[in-house]
Amino acid sequence: EDEQIVAEIMERRFFPDHIAYKTWEGFHFAGHDIRITEATDCYGAVVWPSALVLCYFLETHSKQCNLVDKNVIEIGAGTGLVSIVASLLGAFVTATDLPELLGNLQYNILQNTKQKCKHQPCVKELSWGIDLEKNFPRSSCHFDYIMAADVVYHHPFLDELLLTFDHLCKNDTVILWAMKFRLENENRFVDRFQTLFDLEMISNFPSLNIALYKAMRKDRMKA
């Protein structure tokens, strides 16, 4: 079953028939062909398999995870594929990443959503753990969903990532997080994450070493 579903997910990806001036990959989700421009010299400007897993889930579970008119933020949006698919499924999306990635992110989102979406997505800078209250004040920012794909890997900002999840997540916010398991040091992040959030694995793909999680705040019932 794992291999069959993984094959279906990977069939959503297609490549250009000829050499292009810019490196790009094509994907088919939410009834649209999506063309993503990449930069192979930067981790954040490449489409990783975790993003495909999350996009596939959003499309195939669109009834139980209805994104129409929902307020969604993607952290570590990278090339923007997840944000684009969420937008095509009817959400109002804020796609965020580091300042040096925003140009390519904005380009991909504009190229793939203009005049195709109910709500035009926006792109915003978000450096994990920095100026969170200033840029995303708790009093006025409310997200129905936080989405993240492959944000846990060998980088020194795991503390800041957890702080960002905590700041953005209200009591009724749902986190959808696709994670590729790599080194033990990064895997321990899951244990730390569970000190703040109830975590449920909703899909598992051993052949890709990727799990898809759903999470909500632990203290939501008390609130």
Side-chain angles (χ1 to χ4, degrees):
E1 183 180 2
D2 167 50
E3 293 180 356
Q4 180 182 347
I5 297 176
V6 167
E8 291 178 9
I9 294 172
M10 293 308 166
E11 283 176 359
R12 302 303 186 92
R13 171 182 257 159
F14 60 90
F15 298 93
D17 295 327
H18 57 277
I19 298 175
Y21 173 70
K22 291 185 177 181
T23 303
W24 66 272
E25 288 186 69
F27 304 87
H28 188 84
F29 288 105
H32 292 269
D33 286 337
I34 300 168
R35 179 168 163 164
I36 296 293
T37 299
E38 299 179 312
T40 55
D41 60 344
C42 178
Y43 281 127
V46 177
V47 177
W48 299 100
S50 293
L52 275 68
V53 167
L54 182 48
C55 289
Y56 182 81
F57 173 83
L58 295 177
E59 181 188 80
T60 57
H61 294 76
S62 59
K63 289 186 178 179
Q64 58 215 82
C65 182
N66 186 358
L67 296 183
V68 177
D69 298 330
K70 296 296 193 301
N71 201 11
V72 172
I73 185 169
E74 184 186 5
I75 61 174
T79 61
L81 180 62
V82 172
S83 289
I84 290 165
V85 172
S87 298
L88 293 171
L89 291 171
F92 180 83
V93 176
T94 302
T96 70
D97 215 313
L98 297 170
E100 60 266 27
L101 297 172
L102 296 188
N104 189 60
L105 176 59
Q106 179 71 69
Y107 174 82
N108 283 328
I109 285 181
L110 187 62
Q111 290 294 110
N112 291 286
T113 63
K114 189 175 181 181
Q115 298 181 336
K116 297 178 182 178
C117 298
K118 185 176 183 180
H119 308 288
Q120 186 62 35
C122 68
V123 173
K124 192 170 181 179
E125 176 185 342
L126 173 53
S127 299
W128 297 337
I130 298 176
D131 293 332
L132 294 175
E133 182 58 30
K134 175 183 176 182
N135 296 323
F136 299 90
R138 290 180 185 270
S139 60
S140 58
C141 287
H142 182 280
F143 298 105
D144 299 295
Y145 289 91
I146 299 171
M147 297 188 184
D150 227 351
V151 292
V152 178
Y153 53 92
H154 186 61
H155 63 71
F157 305 109
L158 295 179
D159 290 341
E160 291 81 358
L161 174 60
L162 187 59
L163 182 65
T164 301
F165 272 122
D166 185 41
H167 180 84
L168 296 174
C169 190
K170 297 289 180 66
N171 290 310
D172 58 348
T173 302
V174 175
I175 298 172
L176 293 175
W177 167 30
M179 175 178 175
K180 182 176 179 67
F181 286 84
R182 295 183 175 91
L183 302 175
E184 183 60 29
N185 183 46
E186 292 119 40
N187 295 349
R188 284 198 290 269
F189 180 83
V190 175
D191 296 328
R192 297 175 55 207
F193 186 87
Q194 289 183 96
T195 64
L196 297 176
F197 303 98
D198 289 322
L199 191 64
E200 174 190 359
M201 182 186 292
I202 54 178
S203 294
N204 186 29
F205 303 99
S207 62
L208 295 175
N209 214 19
I210 292 173
L212 178 60
Y213 293 105
K214 174 183 177 181
M216 295 187 74
R217 293 197 72 93
K218 277 185 176 293
D219 56 4
R220 66 188 184 279
M221 299 306 293
K222 297 177 182 178

